[in-house]
């Protein structure tokens, strides 16, 4: 999946969801710092991407034990998708 995503990102670097999915893959592989970097790219292209915001919150609360930062991401995700 990473190779496919890398190819998609190379061809279409402005698609936020490609970066977000790659961030999810990296997180599941245990590379939380790589996931955060990739999710930052996703949010650069679409600052309102609710799934990227949610993943950032999850990483900050679960792996970085930074609840304050996680809450900021969660609040932004809720603004984008209140349901």
């Amino acid at each position: 999946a990473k190779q496919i995503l890398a190819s998609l990102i190379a061809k279409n670097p402005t698609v936020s969801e490609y970066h977000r999915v790659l961030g999810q893959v990296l997180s599941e592989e245990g590379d939380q710092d790589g996931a955060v970097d990739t999710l930052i790219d996703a949010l650069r292209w679409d600052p309102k991407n609710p799934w990227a915001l949610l993943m950032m919150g999850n990483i900050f609360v679960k792996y970085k034990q930074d609840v304050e930062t996680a809450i900021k991401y969660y609040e932004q995700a809720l603004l984008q998708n209140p349901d």
Side-chain angles (χ1 to χ4, degrees):
K2 284 183 0 183
Q3 290 177 347
I4 293 168
L5 288 164
S7 175
L8 289 170
I9 290 169
K11 292 176 186 173
N12 305 289
T14 63
V15 178
S16 177
E17 269 304 285
Y18 294 164
H19 295 278
R20 199 265 319 157
V21 173
L22 180 57
Q24 184 169 353
V25 169
L26 293 171
S27 178
E28 289 180 14
E29 290 181 340
D31 182 2
Q32 304 312 318
D33 291 333
V36 167
D37 290 342
T38 305
L39 291 167
I40 288 170
D41 289 336
L43 292 169
R44 282 186 184 138
W45 294 113
D46 180 6
K48 297 179 179 184
N49 183 327
W51 304 114
L53 292 164
L54 181 63
M55 281 201 62
M56 286 289 275
N58 289 345
I59 289 170
F60 273 92
V61 78
K62 185 173 182 178
Y63 298 104
K64 300 193 179 285
Q65 290 75 45
D66 184 348
V67 175
E68 185 176 325
T69 300
I71 288 172
K72 291 177 184 178
Y73 282 106
Y74 289 144
E75 288 173 344
Q76 289 303 307
L78 281 171
L79 287 175
Q80 304 314 312
N81 188 356
D83 296 329

